[in-house]
Amino acid sequence: MARPTQPNIRNRLLAALAPPEFAAVAPMLTQVTLQLGQPLHRAGDNIEDVFFPETGFISALAVLSDGYHLEIGLIGAEGVAGVSVVLGSDTSYSEAMCQTGGVAWQITTANFRKAAAEQPHFRELLLKYVEVFHIQVAQTAACNAHHELGQRLARWLLGAHDRSGVVELSLTQDLIAIMLGVRRDRKSTRLNS
């Protein structure tokens, strides 16, 4: 089982910790491989583990009343999946699903809370990330309401590319339609809004 060493950490939150704080958090982390389509949290469920992506990216998805999913945020090596826990919640308000394969550092919710309580700089970084994630969600809502589909697609592709850590993205039209909150016409290959 791989243990993290700070010089090799690619997750920017973990890499930004002072060496003594990183040394306190590192034994609580387990490296995991994330699979395309793997759910990490389901809306309304208890969050058992928090994930710090190293490669690949994770989508935060709102579940609409008709069962459709709409992406509200992207999480890559700049962040953490499980932001509700940072704010003291036990449950997820959205789904977190891997949109690419990748690697992440996993920590149990109990250990995450312990580390955040005992390491003040870690907690401060996490709260700053929650603010940035909140801004991303708000910007996504504004863009979804005011931009045409092509503009939204360009924004999403740039965000996905920035977070994935890979040169080329492997995406299906169905996945893109879900991420943009549009329904695909099964008779054609065009995305319709």
Side-chain angles (χ1 to χ4, degrees), residues 113-189:
R113 285 188 171 133
K114 180 179 188 288
E118 294 174 358
Q119 309 303 325
H121 184 240
F122 184 44
R123 179 163 177 71
E124 181 181 321
L125 285 172
L126 292 167
L127 289 172
K128 285 180 181 178
Y129 175 73
V130 170
E131 179 183 17
V132 168
F133 188 76
H134 175 76
I135 292 167
Q136 180 192 163
V137 170
Q139 186 65 45
T140 298
C143 288
N144 286 347
H146 293 287
H147 293 130
E148 294 179 11
L149 183 58
Q151 294 169 310
R152 291 170 39 211
L153 175 60
R155 177 182 176 274
W156 186 85
L157 287 171
L158 287 169
H161 183 265
D162 285 349
R163 286 168 179 84
S164 69
V166 298
V167 176
E168 191 172 299
L169 295 171
S170 296
L171 305 167
T172 65
Q173 291 177 356
D174 285 331
L175 173 65
I176 293 169
I178 290 169
M179 296 307 100
L180 296 176
V182 297
R183 298 202 170 122
R184 253 191 93 215
D185 181 354
R186 298 291 177 188
K187 296 177 186 168
S188 72
T189 57

Side-chain angles (χ1 to χ4, degrees), residues 76-98:
E78 83 291 348
V80 58
V83 295
S84 297
V85 176
V86 176
L87 299 174
S89 181
D90 293 324
T91 59
S92 180
Y93 63 88
S94 63
E95 291 196 4
M97 183 190 322
C98 302

